[in-house]
Amino acid sequence: MSRDEDALRWEGDDELDRATADDADAGSAPGPDGASAPDAAREARRRGPLGWLMLALAAASTVGWIAIMVLNPVQQPSLLGLAMYQLGELLAVIAPLLWWFCVGRLAPVGRRAPWWLAGLVVTAPWPLAVGVLA
Amino acid sequence: MSAREPREERPSDSWIVALLFALAFGYDTVEAIANAEQLPLLYVGAGIEGAIPWWLLVAQVALPGIFFVVALFVGRRMRLVGKAGILLVALGVSAQLSLLAEQLARQIAITALGA
């Protein structure tokens, strides 16, 4: 495979001790628990019901941040300032889903739930709550 | 298809990515410092200088740097894409907190004006 094609493939950024799809190319050696490497990789990638629930909640947070962005009047003195402000708003909107995705790809299976919960708390649309409670 | 050669990641790659994100977090900090200079003037102009939320202004200046360091710490053993992902999430959370600080400052001013 050429380097150009390689650049277009998503290989993930898994932990070093986690089997990856590459292992399937190198041969299906059985893992320590008897499962083959591709099976272990598939198992590690599986989100489970909790993962999908967290995805739904992260999507709800994203909708909240979109509402904040729409309701927030933007006044910036310069075009650069306006562009950077809107870039910040875009990052704020995608942060809940980005957090969910990064936990799913980077955290070991056993540690995903606390990281997902932390993400829900940290990336919740708090400005909406401040506006409602005030 | 033969097995692919493992990709080489040089330590300088991580430094370059960290430097690029440092610029973005630095921009957040500069913006927060500008806010810390201008917001008190608005409060003084409105006659509510006693309600200036200094704690909020200080937090807004300090948090982007803290997020940057925490993201580097969390991603220290990860490969380059993982590091970049963690730093991007931290930048997003920093942007969220800027919007939250803006909303809090607005609510504090409204409350002080109504009192």
Side-chain angles (χ1 to χ4, degrees), chain B residues 2-115:
Chain B
S2 62
R4 294 182 307 109
E5 292 174 15
R7 286 167 297 182
E8 281 183 27
E9 270 181 21
R10 291 166 295 184
S12 60
D13 294 346
S14 294
W15 283 106
I16 291 167
V17 167
L19 186 68
L20 288 174
F21 276 96
L23 288 175
F25 281 96
Y27 182 84
D28 272 0
T29 306
V30 169
E31 281 289 293
I33 291 170
N35 267 349
E37 286 174 356
Q38 291 167 4
L39 196 71
L41 298 179
L42 286 175
Y43 275 62
V44 170
I48 49 171
E49 56 271 19
I52 295 172
W54 292 110
W55 61 272
L56 188 63
L57 298 175
V58 171
Q60 210 182 351
V61 171
L63 282 176
I66 293 172
F67 285 153
F68 179 65
V69 172
V70 169
L72 283 181
F73 180 77
V74 170
R76 70 194 183 283
R77 287 182 192 157
M78 292 176 188
R79 280 156 52 187
L80 195 59
V81 178
K83 275 194 178 75
I86 299 284
L87 283 163
L88 192 61
V89 169
L91 197 59
V93 173
S94 177
Q96 288 185 336
L97 281 176
S98 289
L99 290 171
L100 176 61
E102 206 176 291
Q103 178 72 15
L104 279 171
R106 197 177 295 145
Q107 291 297 341
I108 289 168
I110 289 170
T111 307
L113 285 170

Side-chain angles (χ1 to χ4, degrees), chain A residues 16-20 23 28-41 43:
Chain A
L16 294 176
D17 57 350
R18 191 193 304 174
T20 65
D23 298 332
S28 299
D33 55 353
S36 64
D39 287 345
E43 189 63 30

Side-chain angles (χ1 to χ4, degrees), chain A residues 29-120:
Chain A
D33 55 353
S36 64
D39 287 345
R42 209 170 295 125
E43 189 63 30
R45 296 266 165 86
R46 192 171 291 160
R47 312 269 186 226
L50 181 67
W52 295 116
L53 174 67
M54 292 297 171
L55 175 61
L57 293 172
S61 279
T62 297
V63 171
W65 280 104
I66 290 172
I68 291 165
M69 198 179 71
V70 170
L71 296 172
N72 191 27
V74 181
Q75 286 180 338
Q76 290 289 326
S78 68
L79 191 62
L80 176 68
L82 184 66
M84 294 302 285
Y85 190 88
Q86 289 184 336
L87 179 64
E89 283 187 328
L90 176 68
L91 279 172
V93 165
I94 64 169
L97 290 174
L98 202 58
W99 186 303
W100 178 85
F101 180 75
C102 281
V103 170
R105 296 294 301 195
L106 300 173
V109 176
R111 284 193 220 149
R112 282 182 193 167
W115 278 109
W116 269 328
L117 284 173
L120 277 185

